[in-house]
């Protein structure tokens, strides 16, 4: 989407991959789209939340990102970040109103775990990606230490 501020998020259920909480989140991999230049500002965020309901209002971690490019990016978490809940949400945020934020989308995904919040586009709360007419999920992966 364009017109920051934007929050682009995937939610995860660690039990799906046989992982028991607590575990350490070590990095987040994401793919910036190529239809617009990367935004001037970008933050990694981790929220409480679930796959079914999306991110809550409670942001549990924020980290400013640097050196990101169009295509694949891996942001290593700069502090020990233990996740105590089985389900959690991670994503990227851009607030510079002169920019937009676009992430690539995996159109083959069928689990609908992606959420978008973009007030300038009329999305004042987190909304499932398929509810705004986009099939698939954002290309965001949570990487866990030792996995």
């Amino acid at each position: 989407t364009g017109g920051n501020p934007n929050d682009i998020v995937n939610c995860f259920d660690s039990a799906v991959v046989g992982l028991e909480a607590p575990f350490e989140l070590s990095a987040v991999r994401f793919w910036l789209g190529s239809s617009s230049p990367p935004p001037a500002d970008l933050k990694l965020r981790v929220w409480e939340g679930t796959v079914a309901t999306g991110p809550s209002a409670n942001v549990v971690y924020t980290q400013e990102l640097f050196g990101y490019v169009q295509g694949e990016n891996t942001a290593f978490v700069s502090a020990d970040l233990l996740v105590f809940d089985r389900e959690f949400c991670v994503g990227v945020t851009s607030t510079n109103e002169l920019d937009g934020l676009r992430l690539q989308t995996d159109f083959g995904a069928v689990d609908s775990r992606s959420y978008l919040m973009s007030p300038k586009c009329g999305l004042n709360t987190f909304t499932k990606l398929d509810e705004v007419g986009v099939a698939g999920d954002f290309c965001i992966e949570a990487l866990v230490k030792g996995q």
Side-chain angles (χ1 to χ4, degrees), residues 105-111 135-137:
T105 307
D106 176 4
F107 294 109
V110 293
D111 51 3
D137 283 325

Side-chain angles (χ1 to χ4, degrees), residues 14-80:
S14 61
V16 171
V17 294
L19 189 62
E20 291 186 29
F23 52 88
E24 186 175 343
L25 183 65
S26 60
V28 174
R29 186 176 297 136
F30 60 94
W31 285 259
L32 284 177
S34 59
S35 61
S36 66
D41 72 314
L42 197 60
K43 292 181 178 95
L44 166 66
R45 285 194 178 158
V46 179
W47 289 263
E48 291 180 351
T50 68
V51 172
T53 61
S56 73
N58 190 18
V59 176
V60 296
Y61 182 80
T62 300
Q63 175 181 319
E64 191 77 33
L65 300 178
F66 303 96
Y68 45 87
V69 296
Q70 290 176 333
E72 182 178 340
N73 295 268
T74 301
F76 292 93
V77 175
S78 62
D80 292 340

Side-chain angles (χ1 to χ4, degrees), residues 70-125:
Q70 290 176 333
E72 182 178 340
N73 295 268
T74 301
F76 292 93
V77 175
S78 62
D80 292 340
L81 181 59
L82 287 177
V83 176
F84 290 94
D85 295 320
R86 187 184 99 189
E87 294 186 66
F88 63 102
C89 303
V90 298
V92 290
T93 299
S94 183
T95 58
N96 186 325
E97 292 188 8
L98 299 177
D99 286 330
L101 176 59
R102 298 208 169 121
L103 255 61
Q104 291 181 6
T105 307
D106 176 4
F107 294 109
V110 293
D111 51 3
S112 188
R113 58 190 168 104
S114 292
Y115 291 83
L116 171 65
M117 184 165 54
S118 182
K120 280 195 168 183
C121 295
L123 302 173
N124 295 315
T125 60

